[in-house]
Amino acid sequence: MTDDSQDRERSVKTVAVVVAHNSARDLPMSLGSLRELPVADIVVVDNASSDDSVELAARYTPHVIRSSNVGFGKAINAAVEQFPNAEAYLLLNPDAALTPESYAELVRALQDDAKIGVVAPQMRYADGEPGISAGPDVSLAKEWLAALRVDHMVPDRVKRGLARSQRLRSRLPMLDYLDKGGSAAAADVAWVSGFCMLVRATAFREINGFDPSFFLYFEDVDLCRRLRDAGWRVVSVGTAWAMHRESTSTSAVGKNRLYRSGLVAYCDKYGTAMDKFSARALRRLPL
């Protein structure tokens, strides 16, 4: 990385925020990667961990906030309140890591367009496989197909073929989920994942941050929807990526249950009566 690039990154006063919940195994990944970035501060919000998360976090940053288990969005809001002078907030899951090169790409995107409210990298698992880090508007049809595991019945080569068909994707936006490769450049999307996102502080404050009524899951989709409604761009950068183990802090309490509850909360806020009924019916399916 050139000195000019580093100076440019430092010109954006960024505060990195990590929310931990029994994340002692993972925190070295996220906090270790954040130490390599030119961010102004790192803050960890600990949501009532019963392991060594607090002690471990204190080795990386003096800014550790102890909290009851208030969920993801509410914890982020609490951290942001303590750093009101930041120009951007980098949100990173404890089981994720961002490279300096990818962080530079995110900062560059934010600087190049004053209308970008949030920008995020692509997701990559430890084995190199891509994950879903952005997508179109919420589709209950897609959620039902996933819950019934219909997608597991479709061969990967068929999925790749569907993902390559722009004609089909224009008619069925939920097919965008099959394209995990991402765009080669910055692309507008309906939402980006809160596993790793760089949010412009003015945009975040304009919409009053995360909706605290969401405990976990879909709070990022809701944030992005409100940003778009307020006139901000939501952008996924194909040339940036972050590694993600995914959901290690929620596996013990049931990711699917929490995910489906998040979907119900989202449909309660934005959906039709049929959407609300469908989301609740899906939540009742066995895990």
Side-chain angles (χ1 to χ4, degrees), residues 197 199 204 207 209-210 219-227:
M197 58 165 61
V199 190
F204 190 85
I207 64 167
F210 284 100
E219 69 286 308
D220 46 6
V221 182
D222 170 75
L223 180 86
C224 291
R225 179 166 181 159
R226 289 185 290 116
L227 283 171

Side-chain angles (χ1 to χ4, degrees), residues 51-60 64 66:
D51 64 3
D52 296 329
S53 292
V54 170
E55 292 77 9
L56 195 149
R59 299 175 192 171
Y60 291 85
V64 180
R66 292 174 180 260

Side-chain angles (χ1 to χ4, degrees), residues 69-172:
N69 194 0
V70 295
F72 179 79
K74 201 169 182 178
I76 296 291
N77 291 347
V80 166
E81 286 179 7
Q82 295 200 16
F83 294 87
N85 296 322
E87 296 175 301
Y89 299 102
L90 175 62
L91 314 185
L92 187 67
N93 272 19
D95 56 353
L98 183 66
T99 66
E101 293 76 18
S102 291
Y103 174 68
E105 291 286 334
L106 302 183
V107 171
R108 187 175 301 114
L110 211 63
Q111 289 181 314
D112 287 347
D113 188 343
K115 292 308 296 177
I116 292 179
V118 59
V119 60
Q122 304 298 304
M123 182 190 296
R124 189 177 296 172
Y125 297 123
D127 62 2
E129 285 297 308
I132 297 174
S133 56
D137 289 324
V138 172
S139 164
L140 279 165
K142 173 259 178 189
E143 298 297 342
W144 270 95
L145 290 173
L148 296 173
R149 305 184 70 81
V150 173
D151 55 331
H152 290 268
M153 303 176 189
V154 181
D156 287 341
R157 60 182 177 80
V158 175
K159 292 179 183 179
R160 288 193 292 269
L162 291 172
R164 285 194 294 266
S165 174
Q166 293 299 323
R167 183 177 180 182
L168 281 175
R169 286 170 64 172
S170 66
R171 295 182 179 180
L172 295 171

Side-chain angles (χ1 to χ4, degrees), residues 4-14 38 87-88 103-119 198-200 232-233 235 237:
D4 182 64
S5 297
Q6 290 176 328
D7 289 342
R8 192 178 187 191
E9 291 167 55
R10 291 191 181 95
S11 69
V12 176
K13 185 178 180 181
T14 299
E87 296 175 301
Y103 174 68
E105 291 286 334
L106 302 183
V107 171
R108 187 175 301 114
L110 211 63
Q111 289 181 314
D112 287 347
D113 188 343
K115 292 308 296 177
I116 292 179
V118 59
V119 60
L198 183 65
V199 190
R200 191 183 301 275
W232 296 96
R233 291 180 64 197
V235 171
V237 178

